[in-house]
Amino acid sequence: MLLKKLGQSGIEISAIGQGTGIHHSLTNREVYRELESTIRSGIDMGITLIDTAPVYGDGASEAIIGKALKGIRHGVVLATKVSPENLSPAGIKNSVEGSLRRLQTDRIDLLQVHWPNPQIPISDTLLGLKDMVQDGLVRYVGICNFSFKDTQEIHQQLTSKFLASVQVEYNLFDRSIEREFLPYGQQEGITIIAYSPLHRGRIVANRKQYAVLQEIANTYHKTPAQIVLRWLTVHLPVVVIPNTTNGQRMKENAESIDFDLIDEDVRYLEAQCTGHFREISPRSIHVADDSGRSVYRTLEEALGNAMNCVPSPQELAEQIATGDFLKPVRLRPVQSSHDRFELLEGRIRYWAWVIAHGFEKPLPALIEDFS
Ligand SMILES: NC(=O)c1ccc[n+]([C@@H]2O[C@H](COP(=O)([O-])OP(=O)(O)OC[C@H]3O[C@@H](n4cnc5c(N)ncnc54)[C@H](OP(=O)(O)O)[C@@H]3O)[C@@H](O)[C@H]2O)c1
């Protein structure tokens, strides 16, 4: 397994990690036992960085990992998170204590802020995080889903003594982090933990791109997923955390770093298989609700924020209005139409954009189409 440094710490992490996000709907004990054994098999294959969060399966992910790690905890680098509603110093402490209990350990290697919360002063959060390190409950700190501007400010305050990683979405489809986060991570010695590295299993934007990727994969006797994971981990500060519930795919992912991609193929891959930004009028976008996740259907609902989303659409709009935009929304054409789209991801970002700029200003989007 290829090992990389976690930030500027002396800790080594596997370039391929295990993502362990699970759905709230997973209640079957049998499935939990299978997950436990899949996690252990990943560790046996050298995938020793494990990423979880209290919110995954409402604590179930951490609890399964805790069981899976019995007797082998010392060989693993354990990364968990703290949810936005718990970012006060007392909230962080409570959250860490809960994680330690479920994970059945006495120390978290990497504690990451899961999402920003504009309602809690960031200075309070940073104090709370430092306390956890100074109390010996946490070794290093990371942040997820902050804008680049906020990331720089947090890094300045925490310094590399505390801040080891930034977790952001990075895959072949969405390469937005290459502009700022990636060079910054490289220059400052901050690990970039790439989440959704396989674009949530869709890997690319459409069937044509998949065919090109398959053609490249064939020349290496590898699979499309392996080519993408290898391509991501070629970038020095990047480690990936693909999620799988399948032992065979765990093996496939573990074996994605035992070969080199030649430069010519990297250039071909990037030219042919990358998602492209488009600016789409908010009026052309239908806010769909077919994923089982609740959405706001009207501007009034979004402004009311009855679901208590953190950050709220209004809070995110204030950030967007300053030009600080997090990442593009994901769209799918409605029945192969070229001018009507369904919103796949970015339910809060969509409404935040509309609050900030109205329905007329086009918003940055990435479009996938497997029809
Ligand atoms: N910080 C954050 O806000 C944040 C947000 C999202 C995710 N994450 C973290 O990132 C992890 C991964 O992200 P993700 O689950 O969104 O996306 P992902 O890892 O890109 O995709 C997971 C999907 O890919 C499939 N898959 C896994 N290995 C494969 C392979 N070799 N070939 C083909 N398909 C494969 C899995 O299906 P099978 O299970 O059937 O194999 C699953 O459907 C999460 O578990 C979580 O730890 C963090």
Side-chain angles (χ1 to χ4, degrees):
M1 175 58 65
L2 173 66
L3 297 175
K4 297 193 178 191
K5 277 254 167 64
L6 174 64
Q8 295 189 19
S9 76
I11 302 175
E12 290 204 309
I13 50 176
S14 55
I16 310 293
Q18 300 194 34
T20 63
I22 53 177
H23 300 293
H24 289 270
S25 54
L26 260 187
T27 49
N28 184 331
R29 297 282 128 199
E30 198 55 39
V31 177
Y32 280 6
R33 267 195 292 281
E34 269 174 41
L35 279 177
E36 209 180 301
S37 91
T38 309
I39 290 166
R40 280 187 85 101
S41 71
I43 295 166
D44 289 344
M45 293 168 206
I47 310 189
T48 52
L49 168 67
I50 301 187
D51 177 77
T52 181
V55 75
Y56 295 164
D58 215 2
S61 169
E62 289 184 329
I64 292 167
I65 293 166
K67 283 189 183 166
L69 293 190
K70 273 206 181 123
I72 52 170
R73 164 69 181 95
H74 61 278
V76 166
V77 176
L78 206 42
T80 191
K81 310 194 183 81
V82 50
S83 301
E85 61 276 18
N86 293 329
L87 292 182
S88 67
I92 292 174
K93 189 163 187 287
N94 269 340
S95 175
V96 165
E97 284 169 358
S99 292
L100 290 172
R101 202 172 45 248
R102 286 185 293 274
L103 290 164
Q104 303 186 37
T105 188
D106 57 1
R107 200 153 66 152
I108 291 163
D109 298 308
L110 181 69
L111 180 70
Q112 305 159 100
V113 176
H114 206 155
W115 283 91
N117 182 349
Q119 290 157 19
I120 297 178
I122 189 70
S123 52
D124 285 4
T125 300
L126 302 188
L127 261 182
L129 293 170
K130 280 184 183 174
D131 283 350
M132 292 298 95
V133 176
Q134 275 147 5
D135 291 351
L137 301 181
V138 166
R139 293 173 83 185
Y140 286 91
V141 166
I143 52 174
C144 319
N145 299 309
F146 280 81
S147 71
F148 179 64
K149 189 167 145 269
D150 289 345
T151 298
Q152 280 179 304
E153 284 173 18
I154 291 170
H155 182 218
Q156 266 171 21
Q157 294 187 46
L158 279 181
T159 73
S160 304
K161 181 174 168 220
F162 293 94
L163 187 77
S165 69
V166 168
Q167 189 176 133
V168 280
E169 177 161 1
Y170 186 27
N171 48 48
L172 197 47
F173 180 62
D174 185 351
R175 297 172 54 201
S176 5
I177 72 138
E178 288 179 3
R179 248 175 301 132
E180 295 171 316
F181 281 99
L182 193 55
Y184 190 73
Q186 177 134 357
Q187 183 190 309
E188 301 294 331
I190 297 175
T191 297
I192 305 283
I193 301 182
Y195 76 69
S196 305
L198 298 174
H199 181 32
R200 295 171 183 77
R202 302 190 287 274
I203 303 182
V204 283
N206 54 48
R207 292 181 201 285
K208 195 168 151 220
Q209 288 189 359
Y210 193 82
V212 173
L213 183 57
Q214 181 71 66
E215 171 200 323
I216 298 171
N218 289 345
T219 65
Y220 288 87
H221 304 291
K222 289 286 177 186
T223 65
Q226 287 176 317
I227 298 294
V228 172
L229 296 178
R230 186 66 191 112
W231 167 75
L232 286 165
T233 51
V234 159
H235 301 93
L236 274 184
V238 175
V239 300
V240 294
I241 46 169
N243 188 357
T244 183
T245 47
N246 171 314
Q248 186 51 41
R249 280 182 171 164
M250 185 69 83
K251 184 166 184 298
E252 190 180 321
N253 297 345
E255 290 172 354
S256 64
I257 38 90
D258 59 5
F259 69 105
D260 288 323
L261 281 171
I262 62 169
D263 288 351
E264 195 186 333
D265 287 334
V266 169
R267 282 195 296 276
Y268 185 55
L269 178 71
E270 291 179 346
Q272 301 292 322
C273 302
T274 299
H276 294 290
F277 283 111
R278 278 183 56 190
E279 305 243 304
I280 305 288
S281 161
R283 288 198 191 284
S284 313
I285 300 171
H286 171 62
V287 184
D289 190 10
D290 64 355
S291 63
R293 299 167 83 194
S294 308
V295 292
Y296 295 130
R297 296 187 164 276
T298 62
L299 179 56
E300 288 66 33
E301 280 181 11
L303 285 166
N305 193 29
M307 290 188 275
N308 286 322
C309 296
V310 179
S312 67
Q314 175 73 56
E315 285 164 343
L316 200 55
E318 284 161 23
Q319 186 181 338
I320 288 174
T322 68
D324 197 10
F325 188 64
L326 191 58
K327 61 178 185 176
V329 297
R330 307 292 159 81
L331 306 177
R332 165 168 73 199
V334 175
Q335 288 164 355
S336 296
S337 151
H338 293 295
D339 52 11
R340 298 287 312 155
F341 299 91
E342 196 177 317
L343 184 68
L344 288 175
E345 284 164 36
R347 300 160 304 153
I348 305 302
R349 275 172 279 147
Y350 170 83
W351 287 115
W353 182 271
V354 171
I355 294 167
H357 298 302
F359 280 103
E360 302 312 324
K361 185 169 173 175
L363 102 150
L366 282 164
I367 296 164
E368 60 177 66
D369 183 4
F370 286 92
S371 58

Short mmCIF file of all heavy atoms in Angstrom, two decimals, residues 295-307 313:
data_model
loop_
_atom_site.label_atom_id
_atom_site.label_comp_id
_atom_site.label_asym_id
_atom_site.label_seq_id
_atom_site.Cartn_x
_atom_site.Cartn_y
_atom_site.Cartn_z
N VAL A 295 -36.48 18.50 0.46
CA VAL A 295 -35.98 19.70 -0.21
C VAL A 295 -36.97 20.85 0.00
O VAL A 295 -38.14 20.62 0.27
CB VAL A 295 -35.82 19.50 -1.75
CG1 VAL A 295 -34.71 18.54 -2.06
CG2 VAL A 295 -37.12 19.05 -2.39
N TYR A 296 -36.47 22.07 -0.12
CA TYR A 296 -37.36 23.23 -0.16
C TYR A 296 -37.81 23.39 -1.60
O TYR A 296 -37.00 23.36 -2.52
CB TYR A 296 -36.63 24.48 0.32
CG TYR A 296 -36.23 24.40 1.79
CD1 TYR A 296 -34.93 24.68 2.20
CD2 TYR A 296 -37.17 24.03 2.74
CE1 TYR A 296 -34.57 24.60 3.54
CE2 TYR A 296 -36.81 23.95 4.09
CZ TYR A 296 -35.52 24.23 4.47
OH TYR A 296 -35.18 24.13 5.80
N ARG A 297 -39.12 23.58 -1.79
CA ARG A 297 -39.65 23.65 -3.15
C ARG A 297 -39.85 25.09 -3.62
O ARG A 297 -39.98 25.33 -4.81
CB ARG A 297 -40.98 22.90 -3.24
CG ARG A 297 -40.77 21.43 -2.97
CD ARG A 297 -42.02 20.61 -3.20
NE ARG A 297 -41.62 19.23 -3.29
CZ ARG A 297 -41.17 18.64 -4.38
NH1 ARG A 297 -41.07 19.33 -5.50
NH2 ARG A 297 -40.81 17.38 -4.36
N THR A 298 -39.91 26.01 -2.66
CA THR A 298 -40.13 27.41 -3.05
C THR A 298 -39.13 28.30 -2.31
O THR A 298 -38.57 27.91 -1.28
CB THR A 298 -41.55 27.88 -2.64
OG1 THR A 298 -41.64 27.81 -1.21
CG2 THR A 298 -42.63 27.03 -3.28
N LEU A 299 -38.98 29.51 -2.84
CA LEU A 299 -38.07 30.48 -2.21
C LEU A 299 -38.54 30.78 -0.78
O LEU A 299 -37.71 30.89 0.14
CB LEU A 299 -38.05 31.76 -3.07
CG LEU A 299 -37.19 32.90 -2.57
CD1 LEU A 299 -35.75 32.47 -2.37
CD2 LEU A 299 -37.25 34.07 -3.55
N GLU A 300 -39.84 30.88 -0.60
CA GLU A 300 -40.37 31.18 0.75
C GLU A 300 -39.98 30.07 1.72
O GLU A 300 -39.56 30.33 2.84
CB GLU A 300 -41.91 31.30 0.71
CG GLU A 300 -42.43 32.55 0.03
CD GLU A 300 -42.13 32.58 -1.47
OE1 GLU A 300 -42.11 31.50 -2.11
OE2 GLU A 300 -41.85 33.68 -1.99
N GLU A 301 -40.12 28.82 1.28
CA GLU A 301 -39.73 27.69 2.15
C GLU A 301 -38.25 27.77 2.49
O GLU A 301 -37.83 27.54 3.62
CB GLU A 301 -40.01 26.36 1.46
CG GLU A 301 -41.46 25.92 1.52
CD GLU A 301 -41.69 24.57 0.84
OE1 GLU A 301 -40.69 23.87 0.51
OE2 GLU A 301 -42.85 24.23 0.63
N ALA A 302 -37.43 28.07 1.48
CA ALA A 302 -35.98 28.13 1.70
C ALA A 302 -35.64 29.23 2.70
O ALA A 302 -34.82 29.06 3.60
CB ALA A 302 -35.26 28.37 0.38
N LEU A 303 -36.32 30.38 2.57
CA LEU A 303 -36.06 31.48 3.50
C LEU A 303 -36.52 31.13 4.91
O LEU A 303 -35.90 31.51 5.90
CB LEU A 303 -36.78 32.75 3.01
CG LEU A 303 -36.13 33.44 1.81
CD1 LEU A 303 -37.06 34.46 1.19
CD2 LEU A 303 -34.82 34.11 2.21
N GLY A 304 -37.59 30.36 5.02
CA GLY A 304 -38.13 29.96 6.34
C GLY A 304 -37.24 28.92 7.01
O GLY A 304 -37.19 28.83 8.22
N ASN A 305 -36.52 28.12 6.25
CA ASN A 305 -35.61 27.08 6.74
C ASN A 305 -36.24 26.24 7.86
O ASN A 305 -35.62 26.00 8.91
CB ASN A 305 -34.29 27.71 7.22
CG ASN A 305 -33.19 26.66 7.43
OD1 ASN A 305 -33.18 25.61 6.77
ND2 ASN A 305 -32.28 26.91 8.36
N ALA A 306 -37.43 25.72 7.58
CA ALA A 306 -38.15 24.95 8.61
C ALA A 306 -37.40 23.66 8.95
O ALA A 306 -37.59 23.10 10.03
CB ALA A 306 -39.56 24.62 8.12
N MET A 307 -36.54 23.18 8.05
CA MET A 307 -35.79 21.94 8.33
C MET A 307 -34.53 22.21 9.15
O MET A 307 -33.74 21.30 9.41
CB MET A 307 -35.42 21.23 7.02
CG MET A 307 -36.62 20.64 6.31
SD MET A 307 -36.11 19.62 4.91
CE MET A 307 -35.92 20.83 3.62
N PRO A 313 -30.06 28.31 3.91
CA PRO A 313 -29.90 28.94 2.59
C PRO A 313 -29.56 30.43 2.72
O PRO A 313 -28.72 30.94 1.98
CB PRO A 313 -31.28 28.72 1.95
CG PRO A 313 -31.82 27.48 2.60
CD PRO A 313 -31.31 27.52 4.01
#
